[in-house]
Amino acid sequence: MNKTIGYAAQSATTPLESFPFERREPGSSDVEIDIQYCGVCHSDLHTVRNEWMNTVYPVIPGHEIVGRVGRVGNGVTRFTTGDLVGVGCMVDSCGTCPDCLEGLEQYCQRGLTLTYNSPDTHTGTMTYGGYSKRIVVDERFVLRVPGTLSLTGVAPLLCAGITTYSPLRHWGVDSGKKVGIVGLGGLGHMGLKFARAFGAHVVLFTTSPGKTADARRLGADDVVISTNPDEMKRHAGSFNFILDTVAAPHDLDALTALLERDATLCLVGAPAQPHPSPTVFNLIFRRRQIAGSLIGGIRETQEMLDFCGEHGITSDVEVIPMQDIDSAYERMLKSDVKYRFVIDLASLR
Ligand code: NAP
Ligand code: ZN
């Protein structure tokens, strides 16, 4: 019996509440983590409200987890009690398929286990996430956290950080490139920081004029109000890469028109409803592409955390007690997050 406590939604329409439950006892390759902070991702909100139509209740969200190692299994080689560690969106994968062997566990089709709302191969229940006091994770899915960074600002790196770092790297964003980031929320503000750190000329697209000054402080060379067609037109055909983090359906044509020949619009935002179907003409006349990207593999997540340690990059956070989660969701729906809520799990008793 490994009793602990979390905060769970029992249905799509009821507030989250305190929920006692059991974690597995750490097996030989497991690390037990005392969770200190957990970021609040828009995916948590999509899941709690069953917007993706796949939620199994009760659900304990949370996949931006940082804390200290408590107990470790006797086969654990990379971690020891007291280490500062993180866990992101995945806690298991098959480990043997071509995707896993390439370090792209997020694309494992055989045995990917997400940190919450996924069938748990160990317990037979669903996995429960980081809105909780403790979690038990195979050491292959535990990340080392640089000790130099503020721990609250590190938590969001485990999802918002890697989800933006990975596509920016994959599509070769570096100096000399003109890059767009769409949406200034949790993912978007990390996208700005990374694109700037990689040396690109960065333009932020926002629907919130009030975020302009913050966008510049966070790394934008230019800010475009995406609802203003004249401002959009000024950038037509000029971008090497655009990363779209928006959590709601919107017009993609306005963005593909901004790409130069052969350039890519990459979608990471995962709205519950489809975007209006994009016109093919924007694509075929300039051989442009629309792509997608899912978080990042474990090796790249560690690389991203180390990069953040070297460059002093963290998320801008508002720390909240666990009990404020529902009002945090309401603010998130109003695009009013500066720029990631992080739960202090000391508040959960
Ligand atoms: P967030 O903090 O709520 O930020 C989303 C931003 O999108 C908002 O701040 C807002 O920015 C913009 N926005 C919201 N509604 C809009 C609308 N109707 N039209 C245009 N812009 C709008 O959310 P997040 O945590 O960054 O997550 C963003 C999305 O990525 C979610 O759908 C989430 O599930 C998904 N996600 C995907 C992955 C992956 O691996 N692909 C990983 C994590 C999350 P402005 O105010 O600047 O316009
Ligand atoms: Zn997330």
Side-chain angles (χ1 to χ4, degrees), residues 41 43 63 89 159 340:
C41 181
S43 304
H63 58 205
C89 302
C159 173
R340 195 59 138 185

Side-chain angles (χ1 to χ4, degrees), residues 309-325:
E310 279 160 34
H311 294 81
I313 294 175
T314 51
S315 170
D316 287 31
V317 300
E318 291 186 51
V319 179
I320 57 167
M322 188 68 258
Q323 296 74 12
D324 285 2
I325 189 64

